[in-house]
Amino acid sequence: MSIADNTLFLRLAGPMQSWGTSSRLQLRRTDAYPSKSGVLGMVLCAKGVPREDSPKELGPLTPLLMGVRVDRAGTSDWDYHTVGAKIGIRTAKGKIKRTGNTKDGPIETLLSRREYLYDASFLVALHGSADDIDACASALDNPVWPIFLGRKCCVPAEPVFAGLGTFDGLTDALSSISWRRRIGPIDRDDRSATRTLKSFIEHPPGSPPPDGARLVYDVPTAFGFHNHGCRWVVAREVTVSVAADYNRPPAREPRKKIPDQTRIDVESRDAGLCVFCKQPFDHLHHLTYERMNHELPGDLVSLCRLCHDACNMLECARPPGSPRVDPTDPAQRPAILRQVQRLVEGRRLGRRRELLEAVRGAATDLLDDAPDTNVTVHTLESNKGAGWWAR
């Protein structure tokens, strides 16, 4: 960390967030972007400051100017909560509330509705003296207590500490960090090189606020009490560059084909039939991957689709590094047969479900005319030289 750094960046992203500035009693709303009291509360949480010591610690932090860039606005929705179950909620006179206002009735439970932001992401910048910024950065980089996004149930999806920098103002700071797409299908709507985002910049005190500024009461003086100062917030737009896609999996090298001559030799050796059930084959099954892309005929066997699926499912249940399933090995044939039977039963059930859905969609009774989908599974001994199951 450089001594000259005067700006701290925080990445506030998670499945749920809540930033209330006007919530009271049972109805707890959230603002559309993080509040200053919520952000400074995270800083004190990272420092391990208890509530009773918050007035002293907030003294050098409240002068810091704060800006918020909305990378993803998210969606808002409500959740249902109960508060005070078997603990009790006190009245204005300090007594425990009872159901029905009776002295001996059960303890009253408070019903509360709370609003959250879902799937939102914000870039927050704190701008001020280098010493205060450095102290906040050190705490967020190695927090004493867990950090949450407004409420304890709102866990960050990525590290909150997002770096430091030196800037003349909050607008320059928020414009310096590139916007990142998430996985391609989610943010595929915009493939441009730049993106214009909403931002909310705190206006410095001591000068008249510009037109359209909003007065927000979210400057904390002490935590644990509803006692907040005010500040002017200006809504603006910033244009930022678009970085590489976020969380995009690396491109896989295209798999090469099995050599044509090897494929011809295996098909000729197996007479175009599955080596397990003697039905026409659909796939070439690898017995080993030691000579990948340079296979020899002994590395492959012919299998039909059902037998190939059964072998693959058996391999998935084995520990990593185990040998491949060999359908020509007599010792492995009973296990393969049991797996094939499971697949046949599952597909029969799936076919029945498809017929039922078709009947319900047509609103008529067609079961009497439905084709018979039963699949008969015989033993290998009763069908030597022929397919032991009927397709």
Side-chain angles (χ1 to χ4, degrees):
M1 300 179 186
S2 173
I3 299 178
D5 291 329
N6 63 357
T7 305
L8 167 65
F9 293 102
L10 297 86
R11 170 60 63 185
L12 306 183
M16 299 170 61
Q17 305 185 36
S18 186
W19 310 100
T21 58
S22 60
S23 299
R24 296 292 186 273
L25 304 176
Q26 291 95 332
L27 195 62
R28 302 298 181 94
R29 298 184 181 275
T30 179
D31 281 353
Y33 57 90
S35 62
K36 190 168 185 177
S37 59
V39 173
L40 296 186
M42 284 195 298
V43 173
L44 295 192
C45 186
K47 290 184 176 183
V49 177
R51 285 187 174 184
E52 55 270 19
D53 297 336
S54 61
K56 177 182 176 181
E57 296 292 334
L58 284 171
L61 298 182
T62 51
L64 297 176
L65 299 179
M66 189 179 93
V68 179
R69 193 183 79 187
V70 182
D71 285 6
R72 286 197 310 275
T75 57
S76 62
D77 207 342
W78 293 88
D79 196 11
Y80 173 82
H81 286 253
T82 58
V83 183
K86 297 185 179 181
I87 298 175
I89 301 171
R90 297 192 178 275
T91 64
K93 297 181 180 179
K95 297 182 180 180
I96 300 296
K97 287 186 177 182
R98 301 280 178 176
T99 302
N101 293 324
T102 59
K103 293 183 179 180
D104 300 328
I107 295 176
E108 183 174 323
T109 300
L110 178 67
L111 305 182
S112 173
R113 295 181 67 231
R114 305 189 179 190
E115 190 180 18
Y116 292 91
L117 293 176
Y118 297 101
D119 195 29
S121 178
F122 305 97
L123 178 68
V124 175
L126 292 176
H127 182 76
S129 68
D131 292 338
D132 295 332
I133 292 296
D134 184 72
C136 295
S138 299
L140 291 171
D141 194 30
N142 187 20
V144 176
W145 296 336
I147 298 175
F148 46 89
L149 306 180
R151 294 197 181 114
K152 289 185 178 179
C153 62
C154 303
V155 182
E158 54 187 282
V160 170
F161 175 65
L164 293 165
T166 303
F167 301 93
D168 294 332
L170 288 170
T171 302
D172 295 337
L174 295 177
S175 302
S176 67
I177 305 296
S178 299
W179 179 81
R180 284 184 179 272
R181 299 184 184 92
R182 293 175 294 168
I183 300 175
I186 299 177
D187 288 328
R188 62 186 176 186
D189 57 326
D190 186 1
R191 309 301 296 183
S192 59
T194 62
R195 195 174 181 95
T196 301
L197 305 171
K198 291 182 179 180
S199 65
F200 299 90
I201 309 296
E202 181 177 352
H203 181 71
S207 61
D211 295 338
R214 176 191 175 201
L215 189 62
V216 182
Y217 287 86
D218 66 347
V219 181
T221 58
F223 287 110
F225 305 94
H226 293 289
N227 186 11
H228 294 81
C230 62
R231 65 188 178 112
W232 289 102
V233 176
V234 182
R236 295 177 180 172
E237 290 186 344
V238 294
T239 301
V240 298
S241 61
V242 176
D245 289 358
Y246 189 56
N247 282 344
R248 178 178 291 275
R252 297 181 61 182
E253 182 180 354
R255 182 176 173 180
K256 298 179 181 179
K257 288 184 176 182
I258 298 173
D260 293 338
Q261 187 59 45
T262 301
R263 181 181 293 274
I264 294 173
D265 293 343
V266 174
E267 293 177 7
S268 175
R269 182 198 64 197
D270 298 335
L273 301 176
C274 172
V275 297
F276 192 80
C277 67
K278 304 307 179 184
Q279 292 292 317
F281 90 104
D282 297 302
H283 301 278
L284 295 184
H285 176 74
H286 282 80
L287 300 179
T288 178
Y289 285 120
E290 293 181 357
R291 288 173 287 273
M292 192 67 178
N293 303 323
H294 304 282
E295 292 90 347
L296 299 177
D299 300 336
L300 303 165
V301 292
S302 303
L303 289 178
C304 67
R305 181 172 61 88
L306 185 62
C307 296
H308 187 253
D309 291 346
C311 292
N312 285 339
M313 294 181 71
L314 288 175
E315 290 171 353
C316 290
R318 293 184 174 185
S322 300
R324 298 272 295 174
V325 171
D326 185 357
T328 61
D329 183 5
Q332 301 186 44
R333 293 172 76 85
I336 299 174
L337 177 60
R338 287 192 297 269
Q339 188 60 47
V340 169
Q341 290 174 327
R342 295 190 191 102
L343 288 172
V344 170
E345 291 296 329
R347 292 176 183 181
R348 181 191 305 166
L349 179 60
R351 178 58 179 156
R352 289 176 179 172
R353 289 173 178 168
E354 290 177 3
L355 289 173
L356 286 174
E357 291 297 330
V359 170
R360 291 167 182 164
T364 55
D365 189 5
L366 303 177
L367 288 179
D368 293 338
D369 299 330
D372 184 11
T373 60
N374 290 338
V375 179
T376 305
V377 178
H378 303 285
T379 62
L380 293 174
E381 295 297 329
S382 62
N383 290 277
K384 288 184 177 179
W388 53 266
W389 64 280
R391 298 192 178 190

